[in-house]
Amino acid sequence: KRLGLTLIVDNTFSSPAIQNPLDLGADIVVHSITKYINGHSDVVMGCVATNNPKIYEKLKFLQNAIGAVPSPFDCYMAMRGLKTLQIRMQQHTKNATAVAKFLEAHPKVERVIYPGLKSHPQYQVAKSQMRMAGGMVTFFLRGGIKESRQFLENLKIFALAESLGAVESLAEHPAIMTHAAVPPDQRKKLGISDSLVRLSVGIENVEDLIADLKQALAAVTLASKL
């Protein structure tokens, strides 16, 4: 604000049920509606929100000029998802918290990144502005690409997919999936190692999810004894 810059926040991982950046001073908020807002992996849509009249007028002009308008059926599907957003996010958070704590205590896991854990460097910030911690959990396995493949190939409930934010649990490996086209040296600078795994924790029975992670981790053979 002091420098006259426009602050844009991607709030997809949180959804409006968890955090409202416009109330925290942001000028524009973007969402991939495909993810948590829709919540069922059957819509491709996004939105831009603002409480600034001038920005709104510019965006409406561009929308009219470009024709960025979703279909009526996609809107219906997104509205259906919104009806259960609050209860879904509560269950996502409940499950993700249990999963994060399980992973943090596992000897084959080096580090867990989840804003609901006290070990997260921005735990207090998240606690102050988020109603819940959400369903996204990132962790680093001990080892590298071999160990990551062993883990991913043995998952049974977590589906291997690049998306996130739906009722089903998903796992993805950025180094060989979403960020495979990024050169290794650049991935290293971004902190995307070969042992990094991202989980989108769904709303299934949490005991089933933890059991799936437990058996997949058991299939991982480390080069040296822990």
Side-chain angles (χ1 to χ4, degrees):
K1 297 290 185 179
R2 180 171 52 84
L3 298 174
L5 302 175
T6 299
L7 175 61
I8 304 173
V9 177
D10 186 338
N11 199 43
T12 296
F13 277 30
S14 294
S15 88
I18 289 181
Q19 181 174 259
N20 306 108
L22 293 180
D23 293 339
L24 299 171
D27 299 300
I28 297 174
V29 176
V30 295
H31 284 277
S32 172
I33 293 177
T34 303
K35 310 303 192 296
Y36 283 114
I37 292 178
N38 174 61
H40 294 79
S41 299
D42 51 14
V43 165
V44 177
M45 190 191 302
C47 74
V48 181
T50 183
N51 55 7
N52 184 308
K54 290 184 178 180
I55 293 175
Y56 172 78
E57 290 300 325
K58 290 181 180 179
L59 291 174
K60 286 300 292 182
F61 174 81
L62 289 172
Q63 183 185 42
N64 182 66
I66 298 170
V69 180
S71 73
F73 184 71
D74 283 347
C75 291
Y76 161 76
M77 296 290 274
M79 289 294 289
R80 169 217 54 184
L82 271 173
K83 292 177 182 179
T84 59
L85 178 62
Q86 179 67 25
I87 191 69
R88 282 189 288 107
M89 295 314 297
Q90 290 174 0
Q91 192 62 37
H92 280 300
T93 298
K94 181 180 178 181
N95 286 358
T97 300
V99 164
K101 289 180 178 179
F102 163 76
L103 291 170
E104 192 170 49
H106 200 283
K108 291 183 181 178
V109 174
E110 184 177 348
R111 182 162 63 100
V112 180
I113 302 174
Y114 181 65
L117 292 177
K118 291 184 178 180
S119 58
H120 193 287
Q122 293 182 310
Y123 171 75
Q124 291 298 334
V125 175
K127 192 175 180 181
S128 70
Q129 66 187 45
M130 298 171 70
R131 301 180 188 92
M132 298 172 269
M136 300 303 300
V137 178
T138 297
F139 71 98
F140 295 82
L141 279 165
R142 294 190 185 278
I145 193 68
K146 178 180 74 71
E147 290 76 13
S148 295
R149 286 187 181 277
Q150 289 176 334
F151 170 75
L152 295 169
E153 290 170 359
N154 282 279
L155 289 170
K156 300 184 184 303
I157 296 177
F158 281 82
L160 191 60
E162 294 186 357
S163 191
L164 61 99
V167 292
E168 67 272 12
S169 292
L170 305 176
E172 83 107 349
H173 190 280
I176 58 176
M177 295 172 68
T178 53
H179 294 68
V182 179
D185 60 326
Q186 291 298 314
R187 288 203 303 266
K188 186 176 181 180
K189 289 180 180 179
L190 293 170
I192 303 173
S193 72
D194 288 344
S195 65
L196 187 155
V197 177
R198 188 188 74 184
L199 301 178
S200 175
V201 182
I203 64 172
E204 303 94 336
N205 181 283
V206 70
E207 293 179 0
D208 290 342
L209 296 179
I210 290 177
D212 188 31
L213 294 170
K214 187 175 182 179
Q215 63 84 26
L217 285 166
V220 175
T221 56
L222 299 179
S224 59
K225 189 176 180 180
L226 295 176

